Each structure stands twice: as C-alpha cells, then as structure tokens.
Amino acid sequence: MPARLAPDQSRGYLIAVGVFAGLDTEQRLVRRLLSICPQRAQVAMLVAGELDLRVLDEVENALLAHGAGGVRRAHLNARAEAERPETLGAIENADLIVLATVHPLKLTTLVGGTSLAKLLRRRNADGTPIAGLGAGAAVLAEHMLASGESGATPRMGAVTLAPGLGLTNRVVIDQGGAASDRIGRLLGALALNPFALGLGLDADTAAFIGPDNVLEVVGHGGITLVDPSDVGPTNITEAGPQAPISITNLRLHVLVHGTRYDLDFRRPL
Amino acid sequence: MPARLAPDQSRGYLIAVGVFAGLDTEQRLVRRLLSICPQRAQVAMLVAGELDLRVLDEVENALLAHGAGGVRRAHLNARAEAERPETLGAIENADLIVLATVHPLKLTTLVGGTSLAKLLRRRNADGTPIAGLGAGAAVLAEHMLASGESGATPRMGAVTLAPGLGLTNRVVIDQGGAASDRIGRLLGALALNPFALGLGLDADTAAFIGPDNVLEVVGHGGITLVDPSDVGPTNITEAGPQAPISITNLRLHVLVHGTRYDLDFRRPL
C-alpha cells in the first residue's frame, strides 16, 4: 500500500472519458465537467487527426448548452502546428482543455516534445482541468496504452506501451473501444510493470481524478479498476512471443456513477 | 478463506474445456485427459443438439490417436432419449465421459431430472472423469452460466444463471465464446451470489479439477479466475434494469498451462 504523497492540491483535475456513444442522456458527464470550472468557462478543444466532426459538434453543443462561455477548436495534423501562436494562445487562455484524437499515438507523436506539450503540463500543474476523450484519455497518463489485442488473457507482445503526456503516473488508461477486450490489455500492461493502477473506461463514462488523487466515476457505465499492489509471480520473463501471460493476485473493482476511489491508498471510499 | 471440506478422494476428475479451435497443436489437452484414465480407455461422448460433426470427429480422432480404446457417441435430441438403454449403457461402461452441447441449456433441459442425469452424478461420484467441451463445460457446475451479454461491466439482467448438472459447486464456469466478454458475465454471476469462484476458459484450454479440488490448467491459452472471498459492497439490490453493477475487492488471477490452484484454500500453488 503506497503512502499518500504530499498531494499537490493546486494542480487541475484530470478527466479520462470513455468513447462517446451518446448514452449519457442526462449529460451528467458534461455537467460535472463544467462544475469544476469557473462560470462561463472558456473551453479549448485540441483535436489530433481527422475525427468525426459530428461527435466534436455534439460535445461542443453539450458544453455550450450547460453553461460553457465558448469553445475554441485547434486542429493538429503536423508537429509544426503544435508551435502555432493561435494554438498555444487557445490553451493558455482556456479554463478547460479537452484532448481528442483518432489514436493515442496520433496525439503524442504530434505533440511530444513541443511547446504545446510543455504548456499542457504547466496549465494542469497550475490548476486547469484537462479532459481526454476516447483515445485522448489514454494520452493523459505517463505510460500510455498505445494498442492492444483482444481477449481476456494477456499475451506476450500483444500490448504496446508508449510515453504519454505524463500528467499522471498513478494509472494506465484503456478507454475501451471494445470495452470487453480491455482486461487483457490492462493485465498485459500491468504485467510489464505493476506500479500503476489499470483503469478501463466504458463508453460515456468518465474518471474524474481530483488534485487529491481521489477518483470519482461519472456517467452511464462502469469503470474497471485493476490494482496490482499484491501481484504474485508471473511467467513474463520466460514466456515466448504470443504466449499467454500468467498473473496472479490482482485486485479488481468495477465502479459506477457516484462511487469514489482513493488512488493513493488504493481503496474504494 | 473457506476451510477444506473433507475431500472425496474417490470422486472422478471434472474437466472444463474451452471451445474447440484447434490451437492446442501439441494436443497436451487430449494427452492429459487420457493420462487420468485407464489404458485403452472407453470414451462415451454425450452430444446434445446438432453440433458441428467435424469438431466431434477431430476430438474423437485425437482421443483414438493418443490411446483411447474406443469412442461411443450418444446423441440427444429429446428427453426420452435420456432414458434409452443404449445411452445409459454407454455412460455406465465408460472410463471417460465427454459432454458436448450446442448450448448449456440444451443439455440441461434434455437431461435434467432423467435417469441419465442421476447416472452421470453417480459415475463421477464413483471415480469416472467427466469432461465438458465448450458449452458442455458450463453444465458441470451446480450454478450454470446459461447466457450473458458482452462487455466488461456487469449489468442487471444481463446474466442468466440456471441449475447445471451439479457435479461441483466450487465454480461458476464461462467457457468463453467471445472470451473477452467473460469478465462482465462472471462478475454478474458472482454479484448475484459471491459464494463460488468464477472460471473463464480460453479456447483449447482446460481446467482439470481433481478429487482434491486442486485445479490444473492445461492447453493453449489462459484461465481467468475471479475470487469473491473478500467482495465489498455492491449496488445490486438498488440497481435498476440494465443498470451497471458495482462490485469491489475481487481477486483476479490469469493462470496458464501447468499452473495449479487450490479451490478449497483459494490460492495459486
């Protein structure tokens, strides 16, 4: 059980949001998102790659309908665009930053090492909430689940971890896609290094990670949380390519809307 | 942690085998199956409903190729057939009984309450190993996972439990189908009554449950084992239809070929 590190109460929320499917009909997610922002919040939406604009429009409309003061979109398709003053200005002046991308690696390869990446880390450290939508959720973590195969059993080589934006090292995030395949991916990631918690997000479901490292579940579905604190022996050092990985003594939770979990003490509240 | 019940060392093995996909190229599974039978074992294959005969042929050929003395098939398509002397005779004289069915409920609805069901329980109690293939694996348990929806988060009403053959009450078995969807089904089943262990089988992977209630994994893939011994609060009594079920403090293991787990003391060996 890790000791609580002196929590940096001044840093902003991190909000990992599962893929958008329009199931959160009460829009609890958008309302909760705006509840942690100032009135008439200015929202900056950072979009990496060619996303479905209807989804972005729906999110933008929901934000405006529930009190956002304005939404600015910055589209990224080349690294040079991560240095553009308009883009940096939008992030600099936002009360809420939303990351959207077609693939976790699309955003990190465009942003990694740029002024924009530094700015995102500074704004969050200074208290600005940053939300990742769908594939954008994975990017929030220091160790990013970049891809993974299907199935409940982790297999050697089936999971790719890559450096994310590094806004938290407490969790490894799987935003789902096929939600049901997440377990194998998360276990594969944790088998590589069982220091973080594995977080699997259902569609239209979000993990609100507060400055105090307490996670709150908001939205339609559930969040799968895998805690490797007591993990037992694994065959990962012996297993050959594509061999199934054995891993024991993981703690598993499924948390739903309204439940909270302490990421420092690793227990449901 | 449950105390070990006086193990009935005389009862036969129960072997829960995942769906057949031809991946166990070394045929470790068939060889291990015959290793717990007498030489030149007589095998009775009980087939409920219209199964793919090529799969049954492959299994039969593998059994004969590795030393089975003979394989008799008894097809069941009506309850009356569960009283036929030929069928009962085949089971009575078998050294190994294999259950195959198109759906768990197909076999239980044809066999439940018949002389055949009684005979199967007696033969296993007297020491004869009984294997369930694919959907036939679920049938071995007292509480049978009859159907379930997809996804990693259990939902109210998404899981159907039905009475199985009752050869073991230690586990609830999900033989997979879409292996990756099993977690939600198993958690849903355990949320209803967290007394049993949840067992999820990959294709071409088997759980050999010995008379001493030690489980051994044999075959190509992994076995997901969910232990609810320390389960925490759940919302199951309040959750509405299709609402996601919250469930906490489950212990999760993924076990691969050669690993063993004590079902009485609930720990990997």
Side-chain angles (χ1 to χ4, degrees), chain B residues 5-265:
Chain B
L5 309 178
D8 173 4
Q9 296 292 352
S10 68
R11 81 140 166 88
Y13 269 82
L14 293 171
I15 308 99
V17 187
V19 292
F20 180 87
L23 300 171
D24 181 31
T25 47
E26 303 153 65
Q27 306 211 313
R28 295 176 289 195
L29 209 156
V30 167
R31 286 190 275 118
R32 183 77 177 91
L33 207 46
L34 290 169
S35 75
I36 59 173
C37 301
Q39 291 292 316
R40 315 281 310 145
Q42 291 299 319
V43 181
M45 209 183 277
L46 198 60
V47 183
E50 300 306 330
L51 255 80
D52 181 345
L53 291 182
R54 286 165 310 173
V55 169
L56 297 179
D57 292 343
E58 282 210 52
V59 173
E60 175 167 339
N61 294 338
L63 285 165
L64 293 171
H66 288 86
V71 178
R72 288 176 64 182
R73 281 189 210 175
H75 288 269
L76 288 179
N77 290 295
R79 283 178 64 82
E81 294 168 337
E83 305 289 350
R84 288 172 58 224
E86 301 81 341
T87 305
L88 297 170
I91 299 300
E92 186 63 74
N93 299 313
D95 301 306
L96 168 67
I97 299 164
V98 177
L99 307 178
T101 179
V102 290
H103 188 288
L105 288 171
K106 183 69 174 179
L107 193 145
T108 53
T109 50
L110 287 174
V111 169
T114 65
S115 310
L116 182 54
K118 288 188 202 68
L119 180 58
L120 287 167
R121 278 190 290 272
R122 177 168 64 73
R123 293 293 336 264
N124 183 246
D126 292 347
T128 307
I130 299 187
L133 299 185
V139 175
L140 299 173
E142 180 158 21
H143 298 276
M144 178 178 84
L145 201 47
S147 70
E149 294 171 9
S150 300
T153 300
R155 289 184 173 273
M156 294 298 287
V159 165
T160 307
L161 282 176
L165 280 181
L167 299 173
T168 174
N169 63 1
R170 287 291 197 292
V171 293
V172 172
I173 299 167
D174 186 339
Q175 78 284 357
S180 54
D181 293 334
R182 75 169 63 123
I183 294 292
R185 288 194 296 263
L186 285 174
L187 297 190
L190 298 182
L192 295 171
N193 186 341
F195 85 99
L197 292 165
L199 215 61
L201 308 171
D202 278 356
D204 299 311
T205 309
F208 280 69
I209 301 173
D212 55 358
N213 281 320
V214 168
L215 177 155
E216 179 193 352
V217 180
V218 176
H220 173 76
I223 285 185
T224 309
L225 203 147
V226 184
D227 173 6
S229 300
D230 308 324
V231 69
T234 153
N235 64 341
I236 194 152
T237 52
E238 298 82 35
Q242 282 305 304
I245 296 169
S246 71
I247 183 164
T248 59
N249 286 317
L250 297 162
R251 194 163 289 275
L252 175 66
H253 311 280
V254 179
L255 307 176
V256 300
H257 181 82
T259 55
R260 297 161 71 240
Y261 182 92
D262 188 316
L263 293 175
D264 287 334
F265 289 111

Side-chain angles (χ1 to χ4, degrees), chain A residues 71-84:
Chain A
V71 178
R72 288 176 66 183
R73 281 189 210 175
H75 288 271
L76 288 179
N77 290 296
R79 281 178 66 83
E81 294 169 337
E83 305 289 351
R84 287 173 57 226

Side-chain angles (χ1 to χ4, degrees), chain A residues 89-104:
Chain A
I91 299 300
E92 186 63 71
N93 299 311
D95 302 308
L96 169 65
I97 299 164
V98 177
L99 309 177
T101 178
V102 289
H103 188 288

